[in-house]
Amino acid sequence: TDDLRALARQRREIVCLGADLTRQTETDLFRDALPERFFNAGMAEANMIGIAAGLARAGHVVFVNTFGVFCTRRCFDQIAMAVAYPRLNVRLVGFMPGLSSPGGPSHQAIEDVALMRALPNMLVLEPADALEIRQAVAALADHSGPAYMRVKRGESPLIFDDSHQLQLGRAQRLTGSGSSDVCLVSA
């Protein structure tokens, strides 16, 4: 959120939407710094996607922030019809991916990536660490078209050093001391 707030101070077209989870997604920091560019849609995620689409059609770069399961599974049809097909500049930021949620199955985003990858024109990315999250926010602001970014809530580890550059569409292969390698795909 610090990265989005800093970028929004430089770029007036950036707006932020939330779904009554401002504290949990830390978008309260954006709201407090730039209240005229923050919109709380309440617990009406499907409606929030429609609002995001309207703002994008008016020339804004829209960052939608809520839990991953709420912005993908509950809003799939709205995302497909109002955002993905028309290639609008809406960035869906899904927090608490996978099984990381203490909220149980209703809050676990286990099919979010599959759903978003099934949509035309949708960029999907999951930054590997805090450095990539910072770089991803800037890259998404410049990206033309819809995107879904999946991020863990809270502190993110630091894997890469300062020389690392996130490249959308490129994978990073990390080798460890064990017998297996890990491949991180940025987009």
Side-chain angles (χ1 to χ4, degrees):
T1 302
D2 290 336
D3 304 317
L4 179 59
R5 186 177 52 198
L7 192 60
R9 283 190 173 119
Q10 298 169 15
R11 297 179 56 176
R12 298 219 24 94
E13 74 275 15
I14 294 176
V15 296
C16 180
L17 274 70
D20 242 7
L21 294 168
T22 55
R23 184 181 51 78
Q24 295 86 343
T25 60
E26 297 180 0
T27 51
D28 55 343
L29 303 172
F30 188 102
R31 177 201 62 207
D32 295 347
L34 300 161
E36 71 283 359
R37 290 196 273 149
F38 177 81
F39 305 93
N40 186 346
M43 289 189 292
E45 290 86 355
N47 187 50
M48 180 172 61
I49 298 302
I51 293 167
L55 287 166
R57 285 189 182 276
H60 293 283
V61 175
V62 184
F63 282 79
V64 173
N65 299 270
T66 189
F67 293 169
V69 69
F70 299 153
C71 74
T72 58
R73 186 171 46 189
R74 293 185 70 192
C75 304
F76 185 76
D77 191 50
Q78 288 79 10
I79 294 168
M81 301 309 292
V83 174
Y85 288 125
R87 295 187 58 126
L88 296 181
N89 288 326
V90 174
R91 286 79 179 98
L92 304 165
V93 182
F95 291 84
M96 296 195 337
L99 302 176
S100 68
S101 168
S106 66
H107 286 60
Q108 293 172 342
I110 56 173
E111 61 275 281
D112 57 329
V113 171
L115 288 169
M116 295 299 100
R117 293 226 353 115
L119 292 172
N121 308 313
M122 183 66 69
L123 171 71
V124 177
L125 89 132
E126 184 169 6
D129 71 348
L131 177 68
E132 281 200 341
I133 291 171
R134 187 174 330 116
Q135 293 176 4
V137 170
L140 288 177
D142 291 335
H143 174 71
S144 180
Y148 174 63
M149 180 170 68
R150 183 183 215 232
V151 293
K152 191 168 182 326
R153 202 170 131 203
E155 291 295 317
S156 294
L158 197 54
I159 297 171
F160 298 110
D161 63 31
D162 289 339
S163 66
H164 173 73
Q165 275 299 59
L166 172 82
Q167 295 178 0
L168 297 181
R170 300 286 310 246
Q172 297 290 320
R173 182 175 169 204
L174 302 179
T175 56
S177 59
S179 61
S180 63
D181 295 341
V182 175
C183 182
L184 301 173
V185 179
S186 296

